[in-house]
C-alpha cells in the first residue's frame, strides 16, 4: 500500500444528518471548495446530496464546472470570483455566481448579454469580515445596477449571503453585529425592489451553536467532514471522515548510542526497534511535527523519533512486543487515538489545514456509501 487517505462516505452522510437536525427548517448547503477540503469534491457532493443537503458551495467557477461535468445537477454557488473569470461557461452551466463588487456584476452581465442567457447571481455582502463581499459603501450602487439588470431580464437575483468572522466564538458580540448588519442589508435590497429568494449566513460553527443565525440555509464545510468547528464545545456527534495512513516499509534494530534521522536529533538511550513510515513532508507530514507526534501502529501510539524527512520518518517500537512487521498499517491521523486536532494543537494551526495537507503521492480511497 502506498500512503493513502481513506475517506469514509458513511461518516459524511452521518455528518450531513447531524447538520440537517441542527438546521431545523433551514436548508443545508454542503461546502465542497478546495476539492472537498481535500476529501474529493465529487464523491463528497454526491454523498451529501443523497443524505439531505440540497445545494453545493465552492469558491471558483472551475470547481463548480467540475461538479457539473460529473453530472451533478443540484444548485451550485461559486463565491470567490474576479472581474475576468469565465462567466460565460458558468452561465451556460447554470452556476450561481457570488457578487462581491459592482465590477463583478458588470462582468457577469456582459457575459449574460453575450450568451443571451439569464445569469443567476447571489450578492455576498460584507457585514464585518472585511475580506470578500460587497463593502457597505458600494452596496447601494450595486443594488441600483442590479435592479436595472433584473428589469432588463439580464440577471436573476437568487440570494443574499454573508460570512462570519468569529463564528467559532458563538457568544462573541461580533456575531450579533454581523446578524444585525445582514438583516439591514436584506431590508435595503427589499426596499430597492430586490427581494432575494433566500438568505444565508451560518457556517458550520453557527449551524451547531447559533440557531438564531440559520436564516433560510446554512453553509456547512468542516462539520461535513466530521471535525468539530468549536473544539472547546466537544464533537457534536460528528465523525471524522478522513484517515491518513501508510504501511510500514522497514522494521529494524537501533543500538544504544545511535542517532536517528538527519541531524541525529534523537539518540537511542538503549537498544530499541524502529519502524520506517514511508511518507514525509512532501506528502503532507508537516516537518515541524518532528519528534513531537505519534502514529497508531500495532495497537499503540508510537512516537516519532528524530526529523520528519521529505519521504519518510521513523517511529519507536521499543522491544516490539507487539510484533509490528513490514506492511502493517500506521495511522497518522483519523477517527481514533490519533486525530487531526492533535496535529493542529502541535502546529498551532486548525484541523482545516491538517486535512488539506495530504497530497502528491498520497492516494485517496473511499469506503462506505452506496457503491
Ligand atoms: C468555507 C466557507 C464556509 C464553510 O465554513 P466551515 O467553517 O468550514 O463550515 C461557509 N461559507 C463561506 C463563505 C466559506 O468561505
Amino acid at each position: 500500500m502506498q500512503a493513502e487517505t481513506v475517506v469514509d462516505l458513511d461518516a459524511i452522510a452521518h455528518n450531513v444528518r447531524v447538520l440537517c437536525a441542527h438546521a431545523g427548517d433551514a436548508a443545508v448547503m454542503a461546502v465542497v471548495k478546495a476539492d472537498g477540503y481535500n476529501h474529493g469534491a465529487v464523491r463528497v457532493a454526491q454523498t451529501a446530496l443523497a443524505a439531505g443537503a440540497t445545494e453545493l458551495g465552492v469558491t471558483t467557477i472551475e470547481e463548480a464546472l467540475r461538479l457539473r461535468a460529473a453530472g451533478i445537477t443540484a444548485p451550485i454557488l461559486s463565491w470567490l470570483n474576479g472581474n475576468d473569470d469565465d462567466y460565460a461557461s458558468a452561465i451556460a452551466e447554470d452556476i450561481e455566481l457570488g457578487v462581491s463588487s459592482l465590477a463583478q456584476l458588470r462582468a457577469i452581465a456582459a457575459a449574460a448579454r453575450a450568451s443571451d442567457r439569464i445569469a443567476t447571481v447571489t450578492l455576498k455582502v460584507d457585514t464585518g469580515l472585511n475580506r470578500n463581499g460587497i463593502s457597505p459603501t458600494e452596496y447601494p450602487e450595486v443594488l441600483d445596477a442590479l435592479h436595472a439588470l433584473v428589469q432588463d431580464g439580464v440577471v436573476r437575483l437568487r440570494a443574499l449571503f454573508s460570512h462570519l468572522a468569529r463564528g467559532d466564538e458563538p457568544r462573541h458580540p461580533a456575531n450579533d453585529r454581523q446578524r444585525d448588519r445582514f438583516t439591514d442589508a436584506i431590508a435595503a435590497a427589499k426596499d430597492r425592489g430586490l427581494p432575494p429568494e433566500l438568505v444565508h449566513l451560518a457556517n458550520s460553527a453557527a449551524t451547531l451553536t447559533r440557531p438564531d443565525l440559520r436564516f433560510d440555509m446554512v453553509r456547512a464545510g468542516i462539520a461535513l467532514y466530521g471535525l468539530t468547528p468549536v473544539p472547546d464545545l466537544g464533537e457534536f456527534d460528528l465523525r471524522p471522515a478522513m484517515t491518513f495512513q501508510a504501511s510500514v516499509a522497514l522494521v529494524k534494530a537501533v543500538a544504544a548510542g545511535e542517532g536517528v534521522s538527519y541531524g541525529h536529533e534523537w539518540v537511542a538511550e538503549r537498544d530499541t526497534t524502529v519502524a520506517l513510515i514511508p511518507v514525509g513532508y512532501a506528502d503532507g507530514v508537516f516537518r515541524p511535527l518532528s519528534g513531537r507526534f505519534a502514529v497508531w501502529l500495532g495497537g499503540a501510539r508510537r512516537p516519532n523519533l528524530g526529523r520528519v524527512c521529505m519521504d519518510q520518518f521513523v517511529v519507536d517500537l521499543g522491544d516490539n512486543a507487539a510484533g509490528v512487521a513490514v506492511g502493517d498499517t500506521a495511522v497518522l491521523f483519523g477517527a481514533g487515538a490519533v486525530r487531526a486536532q492533535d496535529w493542529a494543537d502541535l502546529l498551532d494551526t486548525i484541523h482545516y489545514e491538517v486535512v488539506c495537507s495530504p497530497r502528491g503521492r498520497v492516494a485517496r480511497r473511499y469506503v462506505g456509501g452506496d457503491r
Side-chain angles (χ1 to χ4, degrees), residues 57-276:
V58 293
T59 43
T60 69
I61 290 170
E62 207 181 342
E63 289 177 320
L65 293 174
R66 234 174 276 139
L67 295 169
R68 281 282 183 264
I72 293 172
T73 56
I76 304 174
L77 170 63
S78 165
W79 60 63
L80 211 171
N81 307 309
N83 290 353
D84 55 3
D85 289 22
D86 186 4
Y87 290 122
S89 297
I91 294 165
E93 293 293 336
D94 203 19
I95 308 299
E96 194 177 316
L97 293 163
V99 169
S100 284
S101 72
L102 185 59
Q104 288 174 17
L105 180 60
R106 296 224 181 283
I108 292 166
R113 285 201 171 96
S115 63
D116 215 14
R117 298 180 66 138
I118 299 174
T120 302
V121 301
T122 279
L123 299 184
K124 182 166 197 197
V125 291
D126 191 339
T127 56
L129 179 57
N130 289 302
R131 199 182 62 177
N132 197 17
I134 306 166
S135 72
T137 49
E138 202 182 31
Y139 189 52
E141 257 180 294
V142 172
L143 289 181
D144 286 344
L146 179 61
H147 188 260
L149 290 167
V150 169
Q151 294 294 304
D152 290 352
V154 177
V155 161
R156 170 172 81 101
L157 173 64
R158 172 113 198 280
L160 224 68
F161 82 115
S162 192
H163 194 38
L164 297 169
R166 310 185 76 149
D168 57 344
E169 300 167 77
R171 279 186 292 272
H172 197 282
N175 293 305
D176 305 316
R177 204 153 52 230
Q178 286 197 262
R179 177 198 55 206
D180 294 346
R181 289 180 182 174
F182 187 51
T183 309
D184 290 348
I186 297 164
K190 286 182 178 158
D191 287 349
R192 194 66 191 80
L194 292 165
E197 293 169 24
L198 75 164
V199 298
H200 45 101
L201 177 62
N203 56 3
S204 293
T207 303
L208 297 171
T209 62
R210 291 287 304 252
D212 61 317
L213 304 183
R214 284 175 195 157
F215 293 92
D216 301 314
M217 183 162 74
V218 299
R219 301 185 309 273
I222 199 72
L224 181 64
Y225 305 99
L227 300 174
T228 175
V230 193
D232 290 349
L233 294 184
E235 303 296 323
F236 298 93
D237 190 33
L238 299 166
R239 288 191 209 147
M242 179 189 288
T243 301
F244 184 17
Q245 61 187 30
S247 47
V248 173
L250 191 66
V251 174
K252 68 206 255 187
V254 170
E258 291 291 315
V260 170
S261 195
Y262 291 132
H264 285 173
E265 282 185 11
W266 186 87
V267 177
E269 283 176 5
R270 60 185 70 83
D271 291 352
T272 191
T273 310
V274 301
L276 181 67

